[in-house]
Amino acid sequence: MAPKTLLEMAGASAAPPQLGQATVLVIDAQREYVDGALPLAGVGPAIAEIGRLLDQARQAGAAVIHVKHRGREGGAFDPTAPRGQIVAELAPAGAEIVVEKSLPNAFAGTDLKARLDATGRKDLVVVGFMTHMCVEATTRAALDLGFKPTVIATATATRDLPDPVAGGTISAAEVQRNALAALNDRFALVLPDVAALGNK
């Protein structure tokens, strides 16, 4: 028998949200992950997919909020250096909000919840980096705070990790697959790509 997610067992709807009535949350789409100290596997295609989502979201009238990790000067995500900046292709447009964070969970120590509450929307479409870290931490917290997260798989990416149990390396592909499967079990609807979301 094929396994079911906890959401399926609870009878939760698997229908994607209407994009025009949702908020798109772009997490840490910064150059650190492109040409900095933490290059991610598949980051280029993920950036392109986020760009497609933003184009559709803006046309549909979705709210868009960008989250930007603020590191220390001289280190990763240095806010004064190019590595800490949002990649040019995904730069905020118009009056789109940018929330700065210092922890993986974008709600921790920020006004993100208040910003989201101000939109009056409960559906979140979450994309960005890294899948197993800030995307996962923020998505889990979003559910706890009463939001309904959807994660777009191809609009996320991660990196190889050391295996703390067996030694060696866990590939980025395996980390990605496991992180998305864990989120899809209880915390979010995980869609394979932007096309699966539709444009409503």
Side-chain angles (χ1 to χ4, degrees):
M1 180 183 298
K4 290 186 176 181
T5 68
L6 290 175
L7 287 176
E8 288 175 317
M9 293 169 66
S13 172
Q18 293 189 4
L19 185 55
Q21 298 179 13
T23 299
V24 173
L25 191 62
V26 184
I27 298 176
D28 298 352
Q30 291 162 263
R31 286 183 54 183
E32 191 70 70
Y33 291 130
V34 179
D35 52 11
L38 293 168
L40 304 183
V43 71
I47 287 172
E49 188 80 334
I50 295 170
R52 284 187 283 272
L53 174 63
L54 287 175
D55 287 344
Q56 293 182 20
R58 289 161 180 160
Q59 292 173 12
V64 177
I65 296 178
H66 302 260
V67 174
K68 183 179 177 184
H69 192 82
R70 184 180 180 87
R72 297 179 180 177
E73 291 190 17
F77 304 97
D78 182 344
T80 68
R83 65 196 294 173
Q85 306 312 306
I86 293 173
V87 297
E89 304 95 308
L90 306 179
E96 291 174 0
I97 294 165
V98 178
V99 173
E100 290 194 339
K101 67 175 179 62
S102 58
L103 293 168
N105 170 11
F107 291 97
T110 74
D111 64 352
L112 178 58
K113 183 178 185 300
R115 297 285 195 172
L116 290 170
D117 287 342
T119 70
R121 306 169 188 224
K122 289 297 185 181
D123 284 312
L124 302 184
V125 179
V126 184
V127 298
F129 313 121
M130 291 180 286
T131 315
H132 78 283
M133 182 63 62
C134 298
V135 170
E136 184 167 357
T138 301
T139 299
R140 288 171 179 257
L143 180 73
D144 292 343
L145 293 170
F147 297 100
K148 295 172 60 179
T150 295
V151 175
I152 309 296
T154 50
T156 64
T158 191
R159 70 186 207 280
D160 294 347
L161 292 178
D163 187 336
V165 177
T169 299
I170 303 174
S171 71
E174 186 175 354
V175 175
Q176 175 84 349
R177 184 173 66 250
N178 290 341
L180 292 171
L183 286 175
N184 190 64
D185 189 34
R186 176 64 180 87
F187 302 97
L189 171 65
V190 175
L191 297 179
D193 50 33
V194 170
L197 181 62
N199 186 12
K200 297 178 285 183

